[in-house]
């Protein structure tokens, strides 16, 4: 079973920030938080990942709470092309294993 | 760098047949993982190969198998196809902490 909980759907107005929450209360110390998104019938696209510090790249920012039990993915200026299913995954990827357990994700609908 | 490529992109097979799907990882990536995506079960991990060895396996029947070649390219095979094997099959390659996915192969079993 997936170790994360996400709302099934969210709406966001075009041009506004999209804040997608994720709960991962059973995360262990060596597990990363990963975010992927999947636009209809395409392969999942990597967005960002982090261990305990906040991270930012050209696509998004990842805010992880101090206790690491939850995180938020922030898309600073959402566009229509950001409409997708967003998956939050916790995994100790890399090293001896490369295995991602996907949940049902959040369907983000960006409205014009 | 070129991304992960998968061939073929679309495939139609008949129940009882077998199928082989191919995945070429990003250059330099040695780990290749396979996933199955269906509307009912979502995205599920099939198996992972690293340096030509299966390192991890999901909960799928033995009809699903794979292999990896010395150049890190990987194939997966499904024998005795069932209608329920209709799915999007995704391959991902990784070097360190991040997996990068290919576009997938859409398999339809009739």
């Amino acid at each position: 079973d997936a170790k994360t909980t996400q709302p099934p759907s969210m709406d966001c107005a075009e041009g506004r920030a999209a804040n997608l929450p994720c709960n991962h209360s059973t995360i262990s110390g060596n597990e990363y938080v990963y975010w992927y998104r999947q636009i209809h019938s395409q392969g999942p696209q990597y967005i960002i990942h982090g261990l305990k510090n906040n991270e930012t790249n050209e696509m998004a920012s990842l805010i992880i709470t101090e206790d690491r039990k939850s995180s938020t993915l922030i898309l600073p200026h959402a566009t229509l092309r950001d409409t997708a299913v967003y998956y939050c995954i916790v995994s100790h990827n890399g090293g001896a294993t490369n295995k991602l357990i996907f949940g049902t994700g959040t369907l983000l609908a960006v409205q014009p | 760098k070129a991304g992960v490529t998968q061939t073929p992109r679309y495939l139609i097979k008949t129940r009882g047949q077998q199928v082989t799907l191919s995945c070429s990882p990003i250059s330099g990536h040695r780990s290749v993982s396979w996933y199955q995506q269906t509307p009912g079960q979502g995205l599920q991990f099939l198996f992972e190969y690293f340096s030509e060895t299966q390192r991890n396996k999901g909960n799928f029947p033995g009809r699903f198998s794979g292999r990896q070649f010395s150049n890190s390219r990987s194939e997966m095979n499904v024998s005795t196809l069932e209608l329920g094997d209709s799915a999007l099959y995704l391959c991902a390659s990784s070097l360190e902490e991040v997996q990068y996915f290919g576009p997938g192969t859409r398999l339809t079993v009739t």
Side-chain angles (χ1 to χ4, degrees):
Chain A
D1 290 340
K3 296 187 281 187
T4 62
T5 304
Q6 299 178 252
S9 63
M10 291 182 64
D11 288 342
C12 176
E14 190 177 19
R16 305 296 294 267
N19 296 278
L20 292 90
C22 180
N23 287 319
H24 32 80
S25 58
T26 61
I27 191 171
S28 61
N30 62 351
E31 287 184 314
Y32 288 84
V33 179
Y34 292 85
W35 284 85
Y36 284 80
R37 71 181 182 184
Q38 187 175 28
I39 297 168
H40 184 62
S41 292
Q42 297 181 21
Q45 178 188 21
Y46 165 76
I47 301 173
I48 198 167
H49 76 291
L51 186 60
K52 53 183 176 181
N53 298 322
N54 298 336
E55 302 287 344
T56 296
N57 63 20
E58 66 278 3
M59 289 184 67
S61 295
L62 172 60
I63 309 297
I64 303 174
T65 57
E66 195 167 337
D67 64 7
R68 302 210 323 126
K69 292 185 177 182
S70 65
S71 61
T72 301
L73 178 74
I74 301 172
L75 307 179
H77 306 286
T79 71
L80 298 178
R81 284 178 291 185
D82 292 323
T83 292
V85 177
Y86 287 76
Y87 296 99
C88 168
I89 303 163
V90 296
S91 173
H92 38 72
N93 211 43
T97 181
N98 282 300
K99 174 181 177 180
L100 298 175
I101 307 297
F102 286 81
T104 52
T106 296
L107 174 57
L108 175 69
V110 181
Q111 310 289 347
Chain B
K1 277 185 180 179
V4 178
T5 57
Q6 294 186 245
T7 56
R9 293 292 312 279
Y10 301 92
L11 203 51
I12 299 175
K13 289 285 189 178
T14 304
R15 267 183 304 176
Q17 289 185 316
Q18 67 93 26
V19 67
T20 299
L21 311 181
S22 181
C23 172
S24 292
I26 294 171
S27 177
H29 288 195
R30 295 168 63 189
S31 167
V32 173
S33 300
W34 289 88
Y35 295 81
Q36 181 198 63
Q37 186 172 28
T38 60
Q41 299 299 317
L43 260 158
Q44 293 186 287
F45 173 78
L46 276 158
F47 31 64
E48 181 215 355
Y49 285 86
F50 181 85
S51 292
E52 303 178 63
T53 301
Q54 189 181 84
R55 190 162 68 170
N56 243 319
K57 190 176 187 307
N59 189 24
F60 279 82
R63 299 185 298 108
F64 291 82
S65 63
R67 61 178 175 167
Q68 187 179 35
F69 302 96
S70 58
N71 62 357
S72 293
R73 190 177 69 85
S74 178
E75 290 180 347
M76 68 162 283
N77 183 277
V78 188
S79 62
T80 319
L81 282 166
E82 301 176 359
L83 294 178
D85 297 333
S86 294
L88 180 66
Y89 289 88
L90 293 155
C91 155
S93 76
S94 62
L95 179 61
E96 292 179 341
E97 300 157 358
V98 179
Q99 289 191 39
Y100 298 93
F101 285 80
T105 294
R106 172 74 61 187
L107 171 65
T108 301
V109 181
T110 62

